[in-house]
Amino acid sequence: VQLQASGGGLVQAGGSLRLSCAGPRGTLSLYDAGWFRQAPGKEREFVAAISRNGGFTIYADAVKGRFTISRDNAKNTLYLQMNSLQPEDTAVYYCAVDRRVSSWYGPYGAWGQGTLVTVSS
C-alpha cells in the first residue's frame, strides 16, 4: 500500500495548514486511517484517526478543537486540517492506514513518507 503525504511547510504561530495523504487508488474506503507526528528528539505520537466511512473520529488531547481529520474516499485522499498552530506542533507528520485497526492508536500496517510542519513563534 503506497501513501503519499503532502501539504507541510513553514507557518507562523496561529496559522493554519492542511495536510493531504493520497491513498491506494480506488481502495482507500477499505482502510481505517490516522495521522501521527514525530517531533525532533521525541517518539512518534498519535494525532487523529478516522473510520473507513468517516463516521467516527478520535483526537489526541493536544490537538482536540484545533485539528480536524477528514477523508474523501472518492478522491482517495485523507486530510488533516490544522488550525491555531503552535510551535509545539512542529514535527514530521505521517499518515497511516490499516484494513482494520485493533486500536485507533495503532499499530497501522502502512505508512506514508511524512511531511514536515514547522511552526515559528
Side-chain angles (χ1 to χ4, degrees):
V1 176
Q2 287 190 321
L3 302 172
Q4 183 71 35
S6 62
L10 174 64
V11 63
Q12 289 188 330
S16 298
L17 281 175
R18 188 176 79 159
L19 306 183
S20 298
C21 177
R25 189 171 63 183
T27 63
L28 184 64
S29 61
L30 300 178
Y31 296 86
D32 295 320
W35 287 97
F36 290 75
R37 67 186 182 185
Q38 187 167 18
K42 295 186 177 181
E43 293 187 353
R44 187 171 61 193
E45 64 176 1
F46 170 82
V47 174
I50 187 168
S51 60
R52 281 165 285 171
N53 65 0
F56 176 81
T57 58
I58 186 171
Y59 297 90
D61 287 344
V63 306
K64 202 173 295 183
R66 299 188 298 123
F67 291 11
T68 302
I69 188 172
S70 62
R71 64 193 299 162
D72 186 336
N73 287 337
K75 296 182 178 179
N76 295 302
T77 305
L78 176 71
Y79 301 101
L80 185 68
Q81 177 67 44
M82 305 186 295
N83 299 329
S84 301
L85 283 161
Q86 300 301 317
E88 53 265 35
D89 295 316
T90 294
V92 177
Y93 283 72
Y94 299 89
C95 55
V97 299
D98 198 278
R99 289 294 295 265
R100 187 181 293 273
V101 294
S102 56
S103 166
W104 294 109
Y105 305 99
Y108 286 74
W111 294 80
Q113 87 287 1
T115 185
L116 177 62
V117 172
T118 303
V119 184
S120 63
S121 58

